[in-house]
């Protein structure tokens, strides 16, 4: 990275730092997902060039790499996220009880 971004943490509130942390975590997750998709596309292309599908080469036993990225975040604390799978975290249920919808919590 050529240009340097300076952040003065001493002048930020805790909420601003947590918001920044949440945005950074989402950006990293998005970057990793994009790179993973690019790698998978490249591998699929190489398999196709050799006359195979990826399923042919793996015997249909491909496991999804990595973790599921978060889909929802807590508006009060963006560091608290949920993928939308499994049991709803307490903050999700509390938000729903207050009249919010899952769409309101989307990242």
């Amino acid at each position: 990275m050529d240009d340097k971004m300076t952040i003065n943490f001493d002048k930020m509130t805790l909420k601003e730092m947590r918001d920044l942390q949440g945005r950074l975590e989402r950006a990293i997750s998005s970057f990793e997902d994009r790179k993973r998709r690019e790698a998978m596309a490249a591998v699929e292309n190489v398999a196709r060039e050799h006359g195979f599908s990826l399923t042919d080469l793996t015997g249909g036993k491909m496991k999804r790499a990595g973790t599921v990225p978060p889909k929802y975040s807590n508006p009060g604390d963006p560091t608290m996220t949920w993928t939308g799978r499994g049991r709803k975290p307490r903050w999700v249920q509390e938000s729903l009880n207050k009249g919010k919808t899952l769409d309101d919590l989307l990242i």
Side-chain angles (χ1 to χ4, degrees), residues 47-48 50-62:
R48 218 172 331 200
H50 292 276
F52 296 98
S53 72
L54 203 48
T55 304
D56 293 337
L57 297 177
T58 62
K61 297 178 183 176
M62 282 282 299

Side-chain angles (χ1 to χ4, degrees), residues 11-60:
K11 295 192 182 224
M12 293 177 74
T13 66
L14 181 58
K15 181 178 179 345
E16 290 171 331
M17 286 189 275
R18 285 201 171 134
D19 288 346
L20 180 61
Q21 180 183 25
R23 290 190 348 243
L24 181 58
E25 287 173 355
R26 288 188 297 275
I28 289 170
S29 178
S30 175
F31 177 84
E32 289 173 336
D33 289 344
R34 187 175 66 251
K35 289 299 190 181
R36 189 175 291 112
R37 284 191 307 272
E38 289 171 3
M40 185 59 77
V43 170
E44 288 171 343
N45 286 336
V46 169
R48 218 172 331 200
E49 287 173 8
H50 292 276
F52 296 98
S53 72
L54 203 48
T55 304
D56 293 337
L57 297 177
T58 62

Side-chain angles (χ1 to χ4, degrees), residues 29 71 85 95 104:
S29 178
K71 187 173 180 180
R85 295 183 177 184
S95 294
D104 295 327

